[in-house]
Amino acid sequence: MTRVLLTGFAPFDGESTNPSWQAVRAAADEPPTGIEAFAVELPCVYGASVAVLRAAIEETRPEIVVCVGQAGGRPDITVERLAVNVDDARIPDASGAEPVDEAIVPGGPAAYFSTLPVKACVAAVRAAGLPASVSNTAGTYVCNHVFYGLAHLIATELPELRGGFVHVPYAPEQVVDRAQPSLPAAAVARALREIAVTAAHTRTDLRIAGGATH
């Protein structure tokens, strides 16, 4: 059994739900064969989110961590390649904090790559009949903050741990009155199960094109 920690976020920016937490909880409730899954909800708050993540890692002792967040407007499940060392908030977090051009870890590396097999995970989700792609930016909001915090923890304290970040579209109930792409939580949960299994069994990523021109 491979121990996998899945994290999602609490609602933010006036939303009543967050599809990342919906999907994470569903995926952990019915994990795929060979996976022991744990689900933890993170606050959408700079600083506190990483503290809750660290505590969850200490409690569950996973081998793999997959953090998940909402990317409203994206049409597919995007597996993030890169976390950058900057907080630059377009909107306040759930506590009202709105940092601008602040380092997540002062003196830390400018960026970290995911330690998950990003392209293999995308291929697995597509093979399951769901839309997916590689993303080269996790933004500069709390999602990237958590991704960088996780990557820094792996790089400096937990080298045997592997982890990364996945962004997911809105849930259908969030876009009833606006023209935005969405995916049901059940579909996203299915994608997360594919990502968990792929990460557990893949150490060397696929060497296939997954870049972008802009």
Side-chain angles (χ1 to χ4, degrees), residues 55-105:
I57 291 171
E58 291 175 352
E59 179 181 351
T60 62
R61 300 295 178 183
E63 297 162 70
I64 294 169
V65 178
V66 181
C67 296
V68 185
Q70 170 189 300
R74 291 190 186 182
D76 59 350
I77 293 152
T78 51
V79 185
E80 299 294 344
R81 193 199 307 248
L82 196 68
V84 296
N85 190 13
V86 63
D87 289 335
D88 192 5
R90 182 180 60 80
I91 57 174
D93 71 7
S95 74
E98 200 168 359
V100 173
D101 296 341
E102 294 184 9
I104 299 169
V105 178

Side-chain angles (χ1 to χ4, degrees), residues 33-45:
T33 301
I35 299 294
E36 183 179 9
F38 306 89
V40 172
E41 185 181 51
L42 305 181
C44 191
V45 177

Side-chain angles (χ1 to χ4, degrees), residues 88-198:
D88 192 5
R90 182 180 60 80
I91 57 174
D93 71 7
S95 74
E98 200 168 359
V100 173
D101 296 341
E102 294 184 9
I104 299 169
V105 178
Y112 285 113
F113 285 106
S114 173
T115 51
L116 299 182
V118 171
K119 293 180 178 180
C121 288
V122 168
V125 174
R126 288 175 174 173
L130 296 166
S133 62
V134 176
S135 170
N136 295 301
T137 174
T140 56
Y141 194 52
V142 183
C143 288
N144 176 74
H145 182 89
V146 164
F147 185 14
Y148 189 92
L150 170 63
H152 188 71
L153 182 63
I154 291 171
T156 59
E157 299 181 40
L158 299 172
E160 297 304 314
L161 181 65
R162 293 187 293 138
F165 200 95
V166 177
H167 265 123
V168 301
Y170 283 128
E173 61 267 29
Q174 292 177 284
V175 298
V176 171
D177 59 352
R178 51 184 163 175
Q180 292 282 356
S182 66
L183 280 175
V188 179
R190 185 153 53 95
L192 294 179
R193 294 185 191 103
E194 294 292 337
I195 289 169
V197 169
T198 301

